[in-house]
């Protein structure tokens, strides 16, 4: 599916483009996909010069859930002392958090194909091989304990989203009805491997230069806007491209 896209990118950017054939869920459950992409990144960085590539000029890139993995791999690579730093990351309408499904973009685009609001959460639960009967509770953020809700509020506050992106009738979600059982079940949703927006400040501060693409008619739009702000707050250079007529999967 991505052969032509990858060839287009490599021709237009005059780059060596490595497409990772990571193993897929549900046969290979989370976090196999992240681990495969991390292993491929580390391996290629070690042999990059065999392909005429400068190991200090390697960029991670992904779209949608691939953007999630690219962001997670880039975060993980900040801990590596045996390899050069990644030069940059390219995140194309990435999924970045599974805490708040009441952000303005989730409300505005809840029924916009292809990534409807409920479908987004259903795909995430399937990815983790979890029962879809909990979908409505997760949509209401009942899997977030009060202490974590307070912690994440700084990073996920709708006030961090420019007013131009909020519908006039938008209202922030009231305090959730927390479920301890659901929290135990859905805990992987809060891992930075799954929700890179939840990484600690010490990790965010070490990230490389970043390109982020967002689309107006996409439930994930505000994930991109919130991540952009977190990076910029830590002095990371961000190039942001917003497609006002764009929708999820447009690439």
């Amino acid at each position: 599916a991505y052969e032509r896209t990858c060839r287009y990118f490599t021709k237009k950017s005059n780059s060596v483009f490595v497409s990772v054939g990571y193993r897929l869920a549900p046969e290979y459950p989370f976090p196999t996909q992240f681990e495969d992409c991390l292993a491929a990144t580390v391996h290629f960085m070690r042999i990059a010069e065999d392909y005429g590539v400068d190991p200090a000029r390697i960029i991670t890139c992904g779209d949608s859930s691939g953007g999630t993995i690219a962001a997670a791999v880039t975060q993980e690579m900040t801990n590596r002392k045996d390899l050069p730093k990644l030069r940059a990351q390219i995140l194309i309408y990435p999924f970045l958090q599974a805490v708040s499904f009441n952000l303005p973009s989730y409300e505005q685009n809840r029924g916009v194909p292809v990534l409807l609001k409920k479908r987004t959460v259903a795909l995430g639960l399937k990815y983790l091989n979890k029962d879809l009967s909990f979908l409505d509770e997760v949509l209401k953020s009942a899997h977030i304990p009060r202490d974590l809700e307070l912690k994440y509020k700084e990073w996920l506050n709708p006030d961090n989203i420019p007013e131009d992106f909020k519908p006039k009738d938008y209202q922030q979600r009231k305090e959730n009805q927390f479920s301890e059982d659901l929290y135990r079940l859905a805990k992987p949703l809060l891992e930075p491997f799954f929700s890179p927006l939840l990484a600690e400040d010490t990790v965010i501060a070490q990230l490389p230069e970043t390109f982020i693409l967002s689309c107006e008619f996409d439930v994930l739009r505000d994930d991109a806007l919130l991540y952009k702000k977190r990076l910029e707050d830590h002095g990371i250079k961000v190039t942001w491209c917003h497609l006002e007529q764009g929708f999820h999967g447009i690439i």
Side-chain angles (χ1 to χ4, degrees):
Y2 277 82
E3 177 77 11
R4 289 181 65 189
T5 304
C6 291
R7 288 185 178 275
Y8 179 83
F9 280 156
T10 196
K11 286 177 69 176
K12 288 290 185 179
S13 63
N14 191 29
S15 304
V16 173
F17 207 91
V18 181
S19 180
V20 183
Y22 57 86
R23 292 169 291 176
L24 302 178
E27 292 82 5
Y28 298 94
F30 171 85
T32 302
Q33 298 71 30
F34 162 77
E35 292 168 347
D36 283 356
C37 290
L38 177 63
T41 303
V42 171
H43 175 68
F44 184 74
M45 292 188 81
R46 287 176 175 158
I47 63 166
E49 292 179 347
D50 295 348
Y51 292 87
V53 174
D54 181 349
R57 297 182 65 191
I58 291 176
I59 298 170
T60 54
C61 175
D63 80 282
S64 193
S65 58
T68 314
I69 298 174
V73 167
T74 304
Q75 290 181 0
E76 186 68 16
M77 292 297 289
T78 62
N79 297 319
R80 302 293 299 228
K81 307 301 182 187
D82 56 327
L83 294 167
K85 296 289 186 183
L86 287 167
R87 172 63 184 84
Q89 59 177 341
I90 295 173
L91 310 178
I92 301 169
Y93 38 73
F95 173 94
L96 295 171
Q97 60 86 27
V99 172
S100 176
F101 301 104
N102 187 49
L103 294 171
S105 62
Y106 270 103
E107 293 302 298
Q108 173 190 331
N109 301 308
R110 62 191 307 140
V112 176
V114 291
L115 200 59
L116 288 78
K117 179 175 177 175
K118 277 197 170 185
R119 188 181 186 204
T120 304
V121 179
L123 288 172
L125 291 172
K126 284 183 177 181
Y127 183 30
L128 297 174
N129 201 25
K130 301 298 183 182
D131 193 333
L132 295 187
S133 63
F134 299 103
L135 191 150
D136 287 338
E137 288 183 87
V138 172
L139 279 167
K140 295 175 183 175
S141 299
H143 59 301
I144 311 297
R146 183 61 178 159
D147 59 330
L148 289 183
E149 184 175 18
L150 293 172
K151 176 181 178 179
Y152 297 151
K153 188 174 182 180
E154 178 185 358
W155 305 334
L156 294 170
N157 195 328
D159 290 343
N160 293 335
I161 298 168
E163 291 300 319
D164 291 349
F165 290 98
K166 298 176 187 175
K168 292 180 180 178
D169 58 349
Y170 174 72
Q171 294 183 334
Q172 293 190 36
R173 174 179 51 82
K174 297 178 181 178
E175 187 174 326
N176 65 59
Q177 297 296 315
F178 173 61
S179 165
E180 183 71 43
D181 290 342
L182 183 60
Y183 170 62
R184 283 196 296 268
L185 177 85
K187 207 170 181 180
L189 291 170
L190 308 181
E191 294 288 344
F193 301 154
F194 192 93
S195 295
L197 189 50
L198 306 184
E200 297 295 335
D201 287 340
T202 51
V203 174
I204 299 294
Q206 298 181 69
L207 293 174
E209 183 176 351
T210 301
F211 174 92
I212 297 177
L213 184 141
S214 58
C215 293
E216 180 65 22
F217 302 106
D218 181 5
V219 291
L220 303 184
R221 180 198 69 201
D222 293 346
D223 283 20
L225 297 180
L226 292 169
Y227 203 49
K228 171 181 176 289
K229 185 179 188 306
R230 278 205 75 193
L231 293 172
E232 290 176 335
D233 286 349
H234 287 275
I236 310 300
K237 182 181 177 182
V238 178
T239 300
W240 173 47
C241 175
H242 181 67
L243 304 182
E244 293 184 354
Q245 299 299 320
F247 52 89
H248 195 83
I250 196 172
I251 201 163

